Protein backbone atom coordinates (compact mmCIF):
# COMPACT_ATOMS: atom_id res chain seq x y z
CA UNK A 1 0.00 0.00 0.00
CA UNK A 2 1.41 3.42 -0.97
CA UNK A 3 2.01 6.11 1.62
CA UNK A 4 -0.95 8.06 0.20
CA UNK A 5 -3.27 5.12 0.81
CA UNK A 6 -1.82 4.58 4.26
CA UNK A 7 -2.49 8.22 5.11
CA UNK A 8 -6.12 7.85 4.01
CA UNK A 9 -6.63 5.31 6.82
CA UNK A 10 -4.82 7.27 9.56
CA UNK A 11 -6.31 9.74 12.04
CA UNK A 12 -4.71 11.49 15.05
CA UNK A 13 -5.90 10.28 18.46
CA UNK A 14 -6.63 13.93 19.27
CA UNK A 15 -9.13 14.28 16.38
CA UNK A 16 -12.78 14.39 17.33
CA UNK A 17 -15.20 11.51 17.00
CA UNK A 18 -17.14 13.65 14.52
CA UNK A 19 -14.07 14.10 12.31
CA UNK A 20 -13.48 10.33 12.42
CA UNK A 21 -17.00 9.83 11.08
CA UNK A 22 -16.24 12.30 8.28
CA UNK A 23 -13.03 10.47 7.34
CA UNK A 24 -14.80 7.10 7.41
CA UNK A 25 -17.38 8.56 5.02
CA UNK A 26 -14.58 9.31 2.51
CA UNK A 27 -13.73 5.59 2.56
CA UNK A 28 -17.21 4.60 1.40
CA UNK A 29 -16.87 1.71 -1.07
CA UNK A 30 -13.58 0.70 0.50
CA UNK A 31 -12.71 -0.88 3.84
CA UNK A 32 -13.99 1.60 6.42
CA UNK A 33 -11.37 1.34 9.15
CA UNK A 34 -9.07 3.99 10.62
CA UNK A 35 -5.83 3.71 12.56
CA UNK A 36 -5.44 6.23 15.38
CA UNK A 37 -1.87 7.45 15.93
CA UNK A 38 -0.21 9.69 18.52
CA UNK A 39 1.90 12.80 17.85
CA UNK A 40 4.88 10.58 16.97
CA UNK A 41 2.78 8.57 14.50
CA UNK A 42 2.76 5.48 16.72
CA UNK A 43 -0.33 3.30 16.40
CA UNK A 44 -2.63 3.53 19.43
CA UNK A 45 -5.88 1.96 18.27
CA UNK A 46 -8.34 1.26 15.47
CA UNK A 47 -11.61 3.02 14.73
CA UNK A 48 -14.57 1.61 12.82
CA UNK A 49 -18.16 2.74 12.47
CA UNK A 50 -19.12 0.10 14.99
CA UNK A 51 -16.57 1.44 17.51
CA UNK A 52 -18.09 4.91 17.18
CA UNK A 53 -21.67 3.66 17.54
CA UNK A 54 -20.75 1.78 20.70
CA UNK A 55 -18.96 4.87 22.05
CA UNK A 56 -21.98 7.09 21.39
CA UNK A 57 -24.20 4.59 23.21
CA UNK A 58 -21.81 4.86 26.17
CA UNK A 59 -22.38 8.62 26.18
CA UNK A 60 -19.18 9.69 24.40
CA UNK A 61 -19.80 13.06 22.70
CA UNK A 62 -19.13 13.77 19.02
CA UNK A 63 -16.73 16.50 20.14
CA UNK A 64 -14.72 14.08 22.30
CA UNK A 65 -11.29 12.88 21.12
CA UNK A 66 -11.33 9.72 19.04
CA UNK A 67 -9.13 8.11 21.70
CA UNK A 68 -12.33 7.67 23.74
CA UNK A 69 -13.94 5.60 20.96
CA UNK A 70 -11.03 3.62 19.53
CA UNK A 71 -10.35 -0.08 20.00
CA UNK A 72 -7.01 -0.60 21.72
CA UNK A 73 -7.07 -4.41 21.37
CA UNK A 74 -5.99 -4.47 17.74
CA UNK A 75 -3.91 -6.90 15.67
CA UNK A 76 -0.70 -5.64 14.04
CA UNK A 77 2.50 -7.09 12.63
CA UNK A 78 5.32 -5.46 14.55
CA UNK A 79 8.97 -5.47 13.55
CA UNK A 80 10.31 -8.93 12.80
CA UNK A 81 7.12 -10.81 13.69
CA UNK A 82 6.04 -13.58 11.34
CA UNK A 83 3.37 -11.89 9.16
CA UNK A 84 2.15 -15.21 7.70
CA UNK A 85 0.76 -16.35 11.06
CA UNK A 86 -0.84 -12.95 11.72
CA UNK A 87 -2.59 -13.08 8.33
CA UNK A 88 -3.84 -16.61 9.04
CA UNK A 89 -5.12 -15.48 12.44
CA UNK A 90 -6.68 -12.37 10.92
CA UNK A 91 -8.57 -14.34 8.29
CA UNK A 92 -9.86 -16.69 10.98
CA UNK A 93 -11.17 -13.65 12.87
CA UNK A 94 -12.63 -12.11 9.68
CA UNK A 95 -10.38 -9.05 9.83
CA UNK A 96 -10.02 -6.91 6.70
CA UNK A 97 -6.92 -4.78 7.33
CA UNK A 98 -3.81 -5.48 9.40
CA UNK A 99 -1.23 -2.72 9.90
CA UNK A 100 2.49 -3.49 9.67
CA UNK A 101 4.50 -1.39 12.11
CA UNK A 102 8.11 -0.65 12.91
CA UNK A 103 8.61 0.69 16.43
CA UNK A 104 4.88 1.36 16.47
CA UNK A 105 4.84 3.41 13.24
CA UNK A 106 2.73 2.06 10.38
CA UNK A 107 4.87 1.16 7.36
CA UNK A 108 2.29 -0.88 5.44
CA UNK A 109 -1.29 -2.07 5.62
CA UNK A 110 -2.20 -5.62 4.61
CA UNK A 111 -5.53 -5.95 2.84
CA UNK A 112 -6.80 -9.41 3.79
CA UNK A 113 -9.63 -9.10 1.26
CA UNK A 114 -7.05 -9.11 -1.54
CA UNK A 115 -4.54 -11.71 -0.37
CA UNK A 116 -5.03 -15.33 0.62
CA UNK A 117 -1.94 -15.35 2.82
CA UNK A 118 1.41 -13.61 3.26
CA UNK A 119 3.97 -16.33 2.73
CA UNK A 120 7.60 -15.65 3.73
CA UNK A 121 9.07 -17.37 0.68
CA UNK A 122 10.91 -16.51 -2.51
CA UNK A 123 9.83 -18.02 -5.82
CA UNK A 124 11.85 -19.22 -8.79
CA UNK A 125 9.89 -20.08 -11.92
CA UNK A 126 11.53 -22.10 -14.68
CA UNK A 127 10.93 -20.60 -18.13
CA UNK A 128 13.92 -21.70 -20.17
CA UNK A 129 12.47 -24.66 -22.05
CA UNK A 130 12.00 -24.76 -25.82
CA UNK A 131 8.42 -26.11 -25.80
CA UNK A 132 9.23 -28.40 -28.71
CA UNK A 133 6.05 -30.46 -28.42
CA UNK A 134 3.99 -27.32 -28.97
CA UNK A 135 5.61 -26.33 -32.24
CA UNK A 136 4.85 -24.42 -34.44
CA UNK A 137 3.27 -22.27 -31.67
CA UNK A 138 6.62 -21.94 -29.93
CA UNK A 139 8.80 -21.14 -32.95
CA UNK A 140 8.52 -17.40 -32.21
CA UNK A 141 6.83 -17.35 -28.83
CA UNK A 142 8.33 -18.95 -25.69
CA UNK A 143 5.92 -21.41 -24.13
CA UNK A 144 5.33 -19.39 -20.90
CA UNK A 145 4.05 -16.47 -23.02
CA UNK A 146 1.46 -18.54 -24.88
CA UNK A 147 -1.95 -17.19 -23.97
CA UNK A 148 -4.55 -19.30 -22.19
CA UNK A 149 -7.95 -17.68 -21.94
CA UNK A 150 -6.49 -14.42 -23.26
CA UNK A 151 -3.62 -14.19 -20.75
CA UNK A 152 -0.02 -15.51 -20.88
CA UNK A 153 0.43 -18.69 -18.85
CA UNK A 154 3.24 -17.19 -16.80
CA UNK A 155 1.16 -14.11 -15.89
CA UNK A 156 -1.53 -16.36 -14.49
CA UNK A 157 1.06 -17.93 -12.21
CA UNK A 158 2.50 -14.59 -11.13
CA UNK A 159 -0.96 -13.33 -10.21
CA UNK A 160 -1.69 -16.47 -8.18
CA UNK A 161 1.58 -16.04 -6.30
CA UNK A 162 0.73 -12.39 -5.63
CA UNK A 163 -2.56 -13.57 -4.09
CA UNK A 164 -0.43 -15.32 -1.46
CA UNK A 165 1.48 -12.13 -0.69
CA UNK A 166 4.66 -13.25 -2.44
CA UNK A 167 6.70 -10.27 -3.62
CA UNK A 168 10.10 -11.64 -4.68
CA UNK A 169 9.88 -13.71 -7.89
CA UNK A 170 12.66 -14.85 -10.20
CA UNK A 171 12.15 -16.26 -13.69
CA UNK A 172 14.98 -18.27 -15.22
CA UNK A 173 15.11 -17.85 -19.01
CA UNK A 174 17.02 -19.26 -21.96
CA UNK A 175 15.07 -19.96 -25.17
CA UNK A 176 13.78 -16.68 -26.68
CA UNK A 177 14.78 -15.09 -23.37
CA UNK A 178 14.62 -11.55 -24.71
CA UNK A 179 10.86 -11.87 -25.27
CA UNK A 180 10.23 -12.90 -21.66
CA UNK A 181 12.55 -10.17 -20.39
CA UNK A 182 10.74 -7.54 -22.49
CA UNK A 183 7.38 -8.89 -21.30
CA UNK A 184 8.19 -8.31 -17.64
CA UNK A 185 9.78 -4.94 -18.35
CA UNK A 186 6.48 -3.85 -19.92
CA UNK A 187 4.45 -5.42 -17.12
CA UNK A 188 6.37 -3.62 -14.41
CA UNK A 189 6.11 -0.33 -16.32
CA UNK A 190 2.36 -0.66 -16.93
CA UNK A 191 1.47 -1.58 -13.36
CA UNK A 192 1.60 1.47 -11.14
CA UNK A 193 1.83 -0.75 -8.08
CA UNK A 194 3.20 -4.16 -9.09
CA UNK A 195 2.56 -6.50 -6.19
CA UNK A 196 5.58 -8.62 -6.99
CA UNK A 197 9.05 -7.76 -8.19
CA UNK A 198 9.75 -10.13 -11.10
CA UNK A 199 13.38 -10.47 -12.15
CA UNK A 200 14.67 -12.54 -15.06
CA UNK A 201 17.81 -14.67 -14.66
CA UNK A 202 19.50 -15.67 -17.92
CA UNK A 203 20.89 -19.19 -18.27
CA UNK A 204 24.08 -19.05 -20.37
CA UNK A 205 23.22 -22.59 -21.50
CA UNK A 206 20.51 -25.15 -20.78
CA UNK A 207 20.88 -26.19 -17.14
CA UNK A 208 17.96 -28.59 -16.62
CA UNK A 209 15.00 -28.05 -14.34
CA UNK A 210 17.04 -27.04 -11.27
CA UNK A 211 20.53 -26.16 -12.47
CA UNK A 212 19.66 -22.49 -13.00
CA UNK A 213 18.93 -22.10 -9.26
CA UNK A 214 22.67 -21.72 -8.76
CA UNK A 215 22.50 -18.43 -10.70
CA UNK A 216 19.77 -16.79 -8.61
CA UNK A 217 20.92 -13.98 -6.33
CA UNK A 218 18.85 -11.85 -3.99
CA UNK A 219 16.82 -14.45 -2.08
CA UNK A 220 15.33 -13.01 1.10
CA UNK A 221 13.66 -15.89 2.92
CA UNK A 222 14.48 -19.24 4.50
CA UNK A 223 12.35 -21.21 2.02
CA UNK A 224 12.14 -21.15 -1.76
CA UNK A 225 9.26 -22.25 -3.97
CA UNK A 226 10.45 -23.62 -7.30
CA UNK A 227 7.93 -24.36 -10.03
CA UNK A 228 7.53 -24.76 -13.76
CA UNK A 229 6.20 -21.55 -15.28
CA UNK A 230 3.92 -23.34 -17.75
CA UNK A 231 1.71 -25.10 -15.19
CA UNK A 232 -1.90 -24.22 -14.56
CA UNK A 233 -2.70 -25.28 -11.02
CA UNK A 234 -5.03 -24.39 -8.18
CA UNK A 235 -2.65 -25.70 -5.50
CA UNK A 236 -3.10 -24.02 -2.11
CA UNK A 237 0.37 -22.58 -1.50
CA UNK A 238 -0.56 -21.53 2.05
CA UNK A 239 -1.45 -25.08 3.05
CA UNK A 240 1.65 -26.36 1.26
CA UNK A 241 3.87 -23.91 3.18
CA UNK A 242 2.30 -24.88 6.51
CA UNK A 243 2.77 -28.58 5.70
CA UNK A 244 6.38 -27.98 4.66
CA UNK A 245 7.35 -26.01 7.76
CA UNK A 246 5.35 -27.97 10.33
CA UNK A 247 6.55 -31.37 9.06
CA UNK A 248 10.19 -30.31 9.30
CA UNK A 249 10.73 -31.17 5.65
CA UNK A 250 13.86 -30.16 3.81
CA UNK A 251 11.97 -30.36 0.53
CA UNK A 252 8.26 -30.80 -0.19
CA UNK A 253 7.01 -31.92 -3.58
CA UNK A 254 3.64 -30.94 -5.03
CA UNK A 255 2.07 -34.30 -5.90
CA UNK A 256 -0.61 -35.01 -8.48
CA UNK A 257 -2.96 -37.96 -7.79
CA UNK A 258 -2.66 -40.43 -10.65
CA UNK A 259 -4.69 -43.60 -11.16
CA UNK A 260 -4.15 -46.47 -13.57
CA UNK A 261 -7.05 -48.83 -14.30
CA UNK A 262 -6.10 -52.18 -15.82
CA UNK A 263 -8.91 -53.61 -18.03
CA UNK A 264 -7.80 -57.20 -17.43
CA UNK A 265 -7.49 -59.65 -14.58
CA UNK A 266 -4.04 -59.36 -13.01
CA UNK A 267 -2.32 -62.48 -11.74
CA UNK A 268 -0.60 -62.76 -8.37
CA UNK A 269 2.28 -65.17 -8.77
CA UNK A 270 5.11 -66.95 -6.97
CA UNK A 271 7.61 -67.92 -9.59
CA UNK A 272 5.51 -69.43 -12.36
CA UNK A 273 2.73 -70.47 -9.98
CA UNK A 274 -0.48 -68.40 -10.03
CA UNK A 275 -1.67 -67.70 -6.48
CA UNK A 276 -4.66 -65.53 -7.27
CA UNK A 277 -6.41 -63.19 -9.65
CA UNK A 278 -7.38 -59.53 -9.22
CA UNK A 279 -10.12 -58.49 -11.64
CA UNK A 280 -9.58 -55.13 -13.41
CA UNK A 281 -7.68 -53.46 -10.55
CA UNK A 282 -7.05 -49.73 -10.17
CA UNK A 283 -3.68 -48.57 -8.84
CA UNK A 284 -3.37 -45.15 -7.22
CA UNK A 285 -0.12 -43.19 -7.21
CA UNK A 286 1.20 -39.67 -6.74
CA UNK A 287 3.09 -38.13 -9.64
CA UNK A 288 5.63 -35.31 -9.51
CA UNK A 289 3.70 -32.07 -10.10
CA UNK A 290 6.66 -29.81 -10.91
CA UNK A 291 6.20 -27.71 -7.75
CA UNK A 292 8.84 -27.83 -5.02
CA UNK A 293 9.21 -26.01 -1.70
CA UNK A 294 12.66 -26.32 -0.18
CA UNK A 295 14.89 -24.91 2.50
CA UNK A 296 17.16 -22.27 1.04
CA UNK A 297 20.28 -24.00 2.35
CA UNK A 298 19.72 -26.84 -0.12
CA UNK A 299 20.66 -24.54 -2.97
CA UNK A 300 24.27 -24.81 -1.81
CA UNK A 301 24.19 -28.40 -3.07
CA UNK A 302 23.61 -27.26 -6.65
CA UNK A 303 26.90 -26.88 -8.60
CA UNK A 304 27.06 -23.49 -10.30
CA UNK A 305 26.59 -23.62 -14.03
CA UNK A 306 26.08 -27.40 -14.20
CA UNK A 307 23.10 -29.26 -15.64
CA UNK A 308 20.76 -30.66 -12.98
CA UNK A 309 17.24 -32.08 -13.18
CA UNK A 310 14.84 -32.18 -10.24
CA UNK A 311 14.54 -36.01 -9.99
CA UNK A 312 18.32 -36.41 -9.69
CA UNK A 313 18.50 -33.67 -7.04
CA UNK A 314 15.66 -35.16 -5.00
CA UNK A 315 17.12 -38.67 -5.22
CA UNK A 316 20.41 -37.32 -3.86
CA UNK A 317 18.59 -35.69 -0.93
CA UNK A 318 16.84 -38.94 -0.06
CA UNK A 319 20.10 -40.88 -0.33
CA UNK A 320 21.81 -38.42 2.05
CA UNK A 321 19.07 -38.68 4.66
CA UNK A 322 17.23 -35.41 4.07
CA UNK A 323 13.50 -35.33 4.77
CA UNK A 324 11.46 -35.20 1.56
CA UNK A 325 7.69 -34.83 1.92
CA UNK A 326 4.84 -34.61 -0.58
CA UNK A 327 1.78 -32.37 -0.59
CA UNK A 328 -1.25 -33.48 -2.64
CA UNK A 329 -2.40 -31.00 -5.29
CA UNK A 330 -6.17 -30.83 -5.12
CA UNK A 331 -8.22 -29.34 -7.92
CA UNK A 332 -6.75 -28.11 -11.19
CA UNK A 333 -3.35 -29.19 -12.46
CA UNK A 334 -2.55 -28.92 -16.16
CA UNK A 335 0.93 -29.39 -17.54
CA UNK A 336 0.68 -27.76 -20.95
CA UNK A 337 3.02 -30.09 -22.82
CA UNK A 338 1.09 -30.90 -25.96
CA UNK A 339 -1.34 -29.24 -28.41
CA UNK A 340 -4.18 -31.24 -26.84
CA UNK A 341 -3.25 -29.95 -23.38
CA UNK A 342 -3.12 -26.41 -24.75
CA UNK A 343 -6.55 -26.68 -26.37
CA UNK A 344 -8.02 -28.18 -23.19
CA UNK A 345 -6.57 -25.37 -21.06
CA UNK A 346 -8.01 -22.71 -23.36
CA UNK A 347 -11.40 -24.38 -23.31
CA UNK A 348 -11.34 -24.55 -19.53
CA UNK A 349 -10.31 -20.92 -18.97
CA UNK A 350 -11.99 -19.20 -21.90
Amino acid sequence: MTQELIRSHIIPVTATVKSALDVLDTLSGRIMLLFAVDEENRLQGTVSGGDIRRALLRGVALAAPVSEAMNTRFTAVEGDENPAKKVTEGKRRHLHLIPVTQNGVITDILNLDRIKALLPIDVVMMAGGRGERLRPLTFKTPKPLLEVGGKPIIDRNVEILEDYGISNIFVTVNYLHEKIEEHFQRRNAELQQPHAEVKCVLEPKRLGTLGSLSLVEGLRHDNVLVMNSDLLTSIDFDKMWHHHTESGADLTMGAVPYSISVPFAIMRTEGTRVTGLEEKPTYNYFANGGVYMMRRELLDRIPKGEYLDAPDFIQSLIADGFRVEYFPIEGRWIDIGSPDDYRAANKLLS
Side-chain angles (χ1 to χ4, degrees):
M1 205 175 263
T2 65
Q3 289 302 311
E4 181 180 349
L5 287 173
I6 291 175
R7 284 194 294 272
S8 69
H9 284 272
I10 286 179
I11 191 168
V13 292
T14 54
T16 65
V17 172
K18 172 63 168 61
S19 64
L21 281 172
D22 293 337
V23 176
L24 284 171
D25 189 57
T26 67
L27 296 175
S28 179
R30 291 181 281 169
I31 299 173
M32 299 175 71
L33 181 69
L34 299 177
F35 299 101
V37 299
D38 62 17
E39 63 277 3
E40 295 181 350
N41 287 321
R42 291 188 300 248
L43 178 62
Q44 301 298 308
T46 59
V47 185
S48 66
D51 294 323
I52 292 177
R53 285 193 297 273
R54 286 186 287 273
L56 294 175
L57 289 173
R58 294 196 309 268
V60 175
L62 287 173
V66 77
S67 58
E68 294 187 23
M70 68 184 184
N71 170 29
T72 57
R73 299 178 63 184
F74 55 84
T75 297
V77 179
E78 169 62 27
D80 296 329
E81 280 189 290
N82 185 341
K85 291 184 178 179
K86 283 292 179 72
V87 169
T88 300
E89 175 192 345
K91 283 188 170 290
R92 181 180 56 79
R93 294 170 52 199
H94 306 291
L95 301 181
H96 300 284
L97 297 178
I98 294 181
V100 178
T101 60
Q102 191 68 42
N103 296 322
V105 177
I106 297 176
T107 59
D108 196 4
I109 299 175
L110 304 177
N111 187 334
L112 271 59
D113 291 350
R114 293 181 180 175
I115 60 174
K116 295 180 179 178
L118 191 64
L119 300 183
I121 60 175
D122 301 295
V123 174
V124 181
M125 288 198 291
M126 304 301 177
R130 302 179 67 87
E132 294 177 351
R133 289 182 293 165
L134 282 169
R135 290 178 176 178
L137 294 174
T138 52
F139 275 136
K140 295 183 179 180
T141 303
K143 183 178 172 182
L145 292 186
L146 292 178
E147 291 194 355
V148 172
K151 183 178 295 185
I153 302 168
I154 196 167
D155 280 2
R156 289 186 175 276
N157 284 317
V158 169
E159 290 173 5
I160 289 171
L161 294 168
E162 289 171 339
D163 288 343
Y164 287 91
I166 296 167
S167 60
N168 197 34
I169 300 175
F170 298 86
V171 178
T172 61
V173 296
N174 181 270
Y175 176 67
L176 297 177
H177 62 87
E178 65 284 350
K179 295 201 171 185
I180 299 177
E181 292 164 345
E182 291 168 2
H183 173 78
F184 282 110
Q185 287 172 359
R186 286 195 303 271
R187 183 182 188 272
N188 289 335
E190 291 170 359
L191 291 176
Q192 294 181 355
Q193 293 177 276
H195 299 287
E197 183 180 4
V198 182
K199 293 165 287 225
C200 292
V201 178
L202 177 61
E203 294 179 340
K205 60 181 180 179
R206 293 185 66 188
L207 294 175
T209 51
L210 289 188
S212 59
L213 286 175
S214 65
L215 306 177
V216 175
E217 297 180 354
L219 299 174
R220 303 170 185 167
H221 300 287
D222 294 334
N223 289 286
V224 183
L225 174 70
V226 181
M227 62 181 290
N228 298 334
S229 64
D230 50 12
L231 292 175
L232 289 173
T233 177
S234 57
I235 185 172
D236 190 323
F237 289 113
D238 183 39
K239 288 183 179 178
M240 185 180 186
W241 178 78
H242 279 284
H243 176 87
H244 174 71
T245 55
E246 291 168 8
S247 68
D250 296 295
L251 182 145
T252 299
M253 304 173 62
V256 182
Y258 190 80
S259 297
I260 299 175
S261 296
V262 181
F264 311 105
I266 297 299
M267 294 182 288
R268 293 192 296 272
T269 62
E270 292 179 0
T272 57
R273 180 187 175 190
V274 177
T275 61
L277 293 174
E278 188 173 0
E279 187 69 28
K280 298 180 180 179
T282 296
Y283 300 102
N284 298 308
Y285 302 96
F286 281 105
N288 183 359
V291 181
Y292 316 97
M293 197 170 290
M294 66 182 77
R295 290 193 301 107
R296 180 176 167 183
E297 290 88 346
L298 296 185
L299 302 189
D300 295 336
R301 294 172 59 94
I302 300 176
K304 193 162 187 176
E306 293 187 17
Y307 189 97
L308 179 65
D309 276 332
D312 296 327
F313 181 70
I314 293 170
Q315 290 281 23
S316 73
L317 293 179
I318 295 170
D320 290 344
F322 288 88
R323 186 183 183 99
V324 176
E325 290 267 327
Y326 75 88
F327 177 80
I329 298 176
E330 299 177 352
R332 185 176 67 242
W333 182 88
I334 304 174
D335 178 10
I336 302 177
S338 70
D340 287 342
D341 294 331
Y342 185 57
R343 283 190 290 269
N346 270 291
K347 185 177 180 179
L348 178 66
L349 297 175
S350 62

